[in-house]
Amino acid sequence: MRSETQILSLCEIEKQNGYMASVREYTDCLFAENGIRPRVFVLTLGCQQNVSDSEKLSGMANEMGYDITDTPEDAHLIVVNTCAIREHAEKRALSLVGQYKHIKQKRPELIIAVCGCMVAQEHRVEQIKKSYPYVDLLFGTSSIHRFPEFLASKIKTKKRALHFHEPERVVAEDMPVHRDSSYRAWVSVMYGCNNFCSYCIVPYVRGRERSREKQQIVNEVRELVESGYKSITLLGQNVNSYGKDLDTEYDFADLVQELDSIEGDWWLDFMTSHPKDASRKLIDVMAAAKHVTHHFHLPMQSGSDSVLRAMNRRYDFEKYIGIVDYIREKMPDATITSDIIVGFPTESEQDFEDTLNALRRARFDMIFSFIYSPRKGTPAAEMEQISDKIKSERFERLLATQNEISLCQNKPLEGKTLKVLCDGRSKTDDGVINGRTEGGKIVLFEGDDSMTGKFLNIKIERGETFALYGKVVK
Ligand code: SAH
Ligand code: SF4
Ligand code: F3S
């Protein structure tokens, strides 16, 4: 039984289905008039959670009669799914929305929707309402299931549908999904975050933690495996909290174990784990599992205990490194990746050096590194800030240190044969095929398009900082 969370009621689903049908009538008319189906362009910024939401938005648009296009210029409906994690992400969203103005000037019938995390903040909604009058629809992260309603209203009344919603405690099931890939899939196990790290906007824009019912997740993953998906990643801001809001003893490790029993040749991965409650039980389950990848993404953020305290992370370096050591003890071949923030308000030179030393001790295979960006409404934004010059100088030092470590982690893979999931032609070099190991390391090799979406064995000939190079072996 759930306490405050509502699963979307049948009545709400039927209501949205009704709106979908009315938009469908409209797009069918356009088709009858012009001989082509109208097109939707969905642009996604931010994390995998947004990618997953965008697959639902595309799925709904598809049901409503829109074909999917990857060029905004020929779209009839543009959806910008925004991110608010750093200032750069918000600037990028606004600049893109600015560019779409020119398309709308040429084709006034174009409908522009802006949704996602940025739009779950009141000040941004006000800004877009005022400064971007050609934006037709605005809705926050917890109203995604109401996209058909907002679109139907715009089509019918011709008026803008601008909604600011405090994130609600909603879990929306059974929405149409248009998956971008036929072999990699993302499955949310929970939404929201309760952790309130002092720098982070996510709890404000995604609301409180709410878990999906276990059976819904099991059914979705089973269907994906049965329809040929090779890599399935469970998503949540802190997957270790899975189930805490449901009145049950069943936790994330139990879920992973149950999913692992689904037969087939497939990989099960998850992100993100918060170190404060990454359990030994979960690591034991991973080590004994058949399908779970030996990959752990465990954001450390900082190697300094005083910065970790100011960040409200609720672990210290000793606890953190204890988890890393336990992962390596149980799975010596594990790939461990992390997130690091430099230039957090209280960070001294010594704190920063503690982080560099922590990198050397933890020996991550790869890190995602970020320059701290103040977020309006979060406690850290009110603290005394560090200069941009120091921040970027530390960022460069962080990258240089990690690059050396990544190279040292990749060199010993030379001569080994690794299982790789092929992603087809490399975006940067068309003559090369690329894939990823279970730990997410990029592997480049010679091959052809028929390999896309398949598992291959690749003998690694060269391990570099950012990629492994090898040859296909039988
Ligand atoms: N829930 C995940 C992280 C989600 S955000 C977790 O707790 O690990 C992804 C990453 O963005 C974070 O791990 C953090 O490193 C970074 N990040 C979040 N807020 C930031 C900010 N204000 N400035 C810079 N980086 C930030
Ligand atoms: Fe943000 Fe912290 Fe929640 Fe991650 S755990 S989403 S960093 S508040
Ligand atoms: Fe960005 Fe929202 Fe994800 S703020 S990082 S898209 S949860």
Side-chain angles (χ1 to χ4, degrees):
M1 283 291 290
R2 293 164 180 276
S3 41
E4 298 148 58
T5 308
Q6 336 153 5
I7 298 195
L8 221 55
S9 65
L10 267 179
C11 164
E12 177 65 28
I13 293 171
E14 269 168 27
K15 201 168 107 191
Q16 294 306 324
N17 284 343
Y19 290 120
M20 278 209 227
S22 83
V23 177
R24 177 86 208 197
E25 268 173 39
Y26 163 79
T27 59
D28 283 348
C29 281
L30 289 182
F31 180 53
E33 279 168 25
N34 309 322
I36 48 159
R37 292 224 70 90
R39 288 174 291 258
V40 60
F41 172 72
V42 180
L43 184 115
T44 313
L45 300 165
C47 66
Q48 287 307 330
Q49 193 69 66
N50 257 17
V51 171
S52 169
D53 285 348
S54 285
E55 291 188 339
K56 290 175 186 153
L57 291 161
S58 300
M60 286 187 272
N62 224 203
E63 286 274 309
M64 291 187 278
Y66 288 89
D67 280 348
I68 291 166
T69 171
D70 50 14
T71 44
E73 287 74 20
D74 68 3
H76 302 78
L77 170 63
I78 293 180
V79 182
V80 187
N81 194 4
T82 62
C83 169
I85 201 82
R86 283 169 288 276
E87 193 187 357
H88 176 72
E90 294 199 314
K91 278 199 174 145
R92 186 133 182 262
L94 292 175
S95 126
L96 282 162
V97 175
Q99 289 169 29
Y100 300 147
K101 179 180 177 183
H102 306 294
I103 309 180
K104 183 126 176 170
Q105 276 167 343
K106 278 188 226 143
R107 289 191 293 111
E109 72 282 6
L110 167 68
I111 296 176
I112 300 181
V114 182
C115 62
C117 293
M118 196 171 110
V119 188
Q121 304 170 99
E122 203 155 11
H123 68 283
R124 290 298 184 196
V125 172
E126 288 313 311
Q127 180 187 11
I128 296 171
K129 272 186 189 168
K130 229 171 70 205
S131 310
Y132 299 81
Y134 52 91
V135 169
D136 302 288
L137 311 181
L138 272 183
F139 51 97
T141 51
S142 59
S143 313
I144 278 176
H145 58 280
R146 292 177 62 196
F147 173 44
E149 174 183 345
F150 303 145
L151 185 58
S153 148
K154 167 69 199 173
I155 290 167
K156 193 166 164 207
T157 66
K158 308 267 182 273
K159 288 201 184 114
R160 301 171 90 192
L162 309 177
H163 294 261
F164 166 68
H165 284 284
E166 292 285 351
E168 298 161 41
R169 298 187 70 95
V170 166
V171 174
E173 295 289 356
D174 299 322
M175 293 193 322
V177 181
H178 174 86
R179 295 197 188 265
D180 289 340
S181 161
S182 56
Y183 57 94
R184 288 191 194 272
W186 285 268
V187 173
S188 294
V189 298
M190 57 182 300
Y191 305 97
C193 181
N194 289 357
N195 289 319
F196 289 95
C197 302
S198 63
Y199 50 83
C200 184
I201 197 72
V202 171
Y204 305 88
V205 294
R206 287 270 172 187
R208 294 295 67 72
E209 285 172 0
R210 51 222 187 264
S211 305
R212 290 177 70 194
E213 296 292 338
K214 148 204 150 177
Q215 205 49 52
Q216 297 274 0
I217 301 168
V218 174
N219 293 348
E220 186 172 345
V221 172
R222 178 169 293 118
E223 275 169 30
L224 287 166
V225 175
E226 281 170 1
S227 56
Y229 277 84
K230 296 283 179 256
S231 162
I232 297 175
T233 305
L234 306 178
L235 294 180
Q237 291 301 342
N238 175 17
V239 287
N240 303 304
S241 290
Y242 175 77
K244 286 188 182 158
D245 58 322
L246 305 174
D247 190 12
T248 162
E249 295 285 296
Y250 189 91
D251 66 9
F252 185 64
D254 297 321
L255 178 67
V256 169
Q257 193 165 33
E258 181 164 350
L259 294 172
D260 187 60
S261 68
I262 298 174
E263 296 286 333
D265 188 16
W266 65 289
W267 280 342
L268 177 62
D269 201 352
F270 55 83
M271 61 184 191
T272 301
S273 282
H274 194 300
K276 82 174 160 54
D277 35 29
S279 69
R280 289 193 166 211
K281 177 179 168 190
L282 175 62
I283 297 164
D284 293 342
V285 164
M286 287 171 78
K290 209 165 142 194
H291 303 289
V292 185
T293 59
H294 286 185
H295 170 221
F296 222 105
H297 182 60
L298 194 64
M300 180 174 78
Q301 313 298 359
S302 167
S304 148
D305 287 348
S306 66
V307 172
L308 287 171
R309 243 189 329 274
M311 287 177 162
N312 192 30
R313 288 291 284 181
R314 285 173 279 174
Y315 55 84
D316 56 14
F317 180 66
E318 198 183 323
K319 161 141 180 146
Y320 182 88
I321 205 69
I323 306 167
V324 169
D325 289 343
Y326 192 70
I327 298 169
R328 291 232 165 89
E329 182 191 324
K330 292 284 160 173
M331 297 175 276
D333 62 337
T335 301
I336 306 181
T337 56
S338 197
D339 292 350
I340 306 288
I341 297 178
V342 298
F344 183 82
T346 58
E347 186 186 73
S348 65
E349 176 58 24
Q350 184 57 52
D351 290 323
F352 175 65
E353 280 175 23
D354 288 348
T355 299
L356 296 183
N357 286 330
L359 295 187
R360 294 180 189 115
R361 167 75 174 81
R363 291 182 292 111
F364 298 121
D365 291 277
M366 197 172 49
I367 59 168
F368 298 90
S369 36
F370 307 104
I371 293 180
Y372 168 72
S373 166
R375 304 285 67 216
K376 192 177 157 81
T378 62
E382 305 301 316
M383 299 176 188
E384 199 180 323
Q385 303 294 315
I386 287 179
S387 76
D388 287 348
K389 187 163 167 273
I390 295 180
K391 282 194 208 172
S392 43
E393 183 250 345
R394 286 185 187 161
F395 188 66
E396 294 304 322
R397 284 161 66 198
L398 182 86
L399 294 186
T401 304
Q402 180 56 40
N403 288 351
E404 278 177 27
I405 299 167
S406 296
L407 184 61
C408 287
Q409 291 295 100
N410 286 345
K411 275 278 164 221
L413 297 174
E414 292 178 355
K416 296 213 159 118
T417 298
L418 303 178
K419 186 171 176 178
V420 166
L421 181 54
C422 180
D423 287 310
R425 250 162 237 292
S426 155
K427 283 198 184 103
T428 45
D429 182 351
D430 202 30
V432 183
I433 301 294
N434 79 127
R436 282 179 189 266
T437 64
E438 62 179 283
K441 293 193 188 209
I442 295 174
V443 185
L444 298 161
F445 50 91
E446 277 179 19
D448 58 62
D449 293 322
S450 71
M451 294 172 171
T452 309
K454 295 194 177 130
F455 283 124
L456 303 168
N457 288 321
I458 307 285
K459 181 155 186 195
I460 305 303
E461 296 178 328
R462 210 152 42 88
E464 300 281 349
T465 308
F466 300 110
L468 307 170
Y469 298 80
K471 272 208 170 75
V472 183
V473 288
K474 286 268 171 333

